[in-house]
Amino acid sequence: MNKITRKGLLRTPLLWIKRALILLLCLWVGGILLFSFLPVPFSAVMVERQVSAWLTGDFGYVAHSDWVPMSEISSPMALAVMAAEDQKFPEHWGFDVAAIQSVLDKDGGKMRGASTLSQQTAKNLFLWDGRSWVRKGLEAGLTVGIETVWTKRRILTVYLNIVEFGDGVFGVEQAAQHFFHKPASRLTASQAALLAAVLPNPHLFKVNAPSAYVLRRQQWILRQMSQLGGESFLREHKLH
């Protein structure tokens, strides 16, 4: 095999990889632009969960969410996720630098915690689940993208519509219907805080069978919602 042939064989896979990366980048950029005003039909995490269920033979599993605008989500629900997950959400540009530094100092560089709602939205919508520096790097780039193009209200709306609250339960509307038999617009502060309390790990913590830890976290979230200022906090930052 001559040198020209060997170079050709090496170049072909690299060319396809390059094309695949360009296509993926175009899909991400297009998604950021389109979903700045269009409802999100599904997320990457939903697809991952569905495919995983099929591969394990669970054909009854359905990853599904019902999109609702912010006007059809109760104020306590919007406030609860910020109180629980990201109290500096209206102020930061996608990253809570102080929280990230605290985690790095405490855990010696381990990749856990300190994710803002913007980062979680970018990861859930466009990326796979799990922990790696590659995924974290892509997440950072996508976070900058949505923070640049979307408003904070839009980020919060998308987050609430795609976040996972339990096995196959995605988005606040489906969660409200599944656990409380009511629309998201009628969720009370207590119910919203309970939903937010399971978000660190909705597969371990259950809304319909809350552990003592989840109930304590629910009460802590309710106190934080009050300390943030309640609905006036949402109005001040034009989030609801």
Side-chain angles (χ1 to χ4, degrees), residues 62-166:
V62 178
H64 172 73
S65 68
D66 296 310
W67 177 272
V68 286
M70 183 60 77
S71 60
E72 295 180 24
I73 300 173
S74 74
S75 298
M77 190 68 241
L79 188 62
V81 293
M82 284 186 285
E85 299 287 294
D86 185 3
Q87 296 188 13
K88 296 180 181 177
F89 174 69
E91 305 163 9
H92 63 60
W93 48 278
F95 308 93
D96 187 340
V97 177
I100 292 171
Q101 188 59 54
S102 176
V103 168
L104 290 174
D105 291 343
K106 186 162 99 177
D107 297 325
K110 291 181 182 178
M111 296 172 291
R112 65 183 187 85
S115 287
T116 64
L117 292 181
S118 303
Q119 289 174 272
Q120 292 180 49
T121 302
K123 186 267 289 183
N124 290 342
L125 183 57
F126 294 114
L127 300 172
W128 63 94
D129 208 359
R131 302 182 189 280
S132 71
W133 286 112
V134 171
R135 203 218 69 191
K136 272 294 184 184
L138 294 173
E139 177 188 298
L142 289 165
T143 297
V144 171
I146 65 173
E147 280 278 349
T148 301
V149 178
W150 298 359
T151 63
K152 288 288 187 177
R153 178 186 169 102
R154 183 61 181 180
I155 294 171
L156 185 59
T157 302
V158 173
Y159 174 83
L160 285 168
N161 274 283
I162 65 174
V163 67
E164 187 176 17
F165 288 100

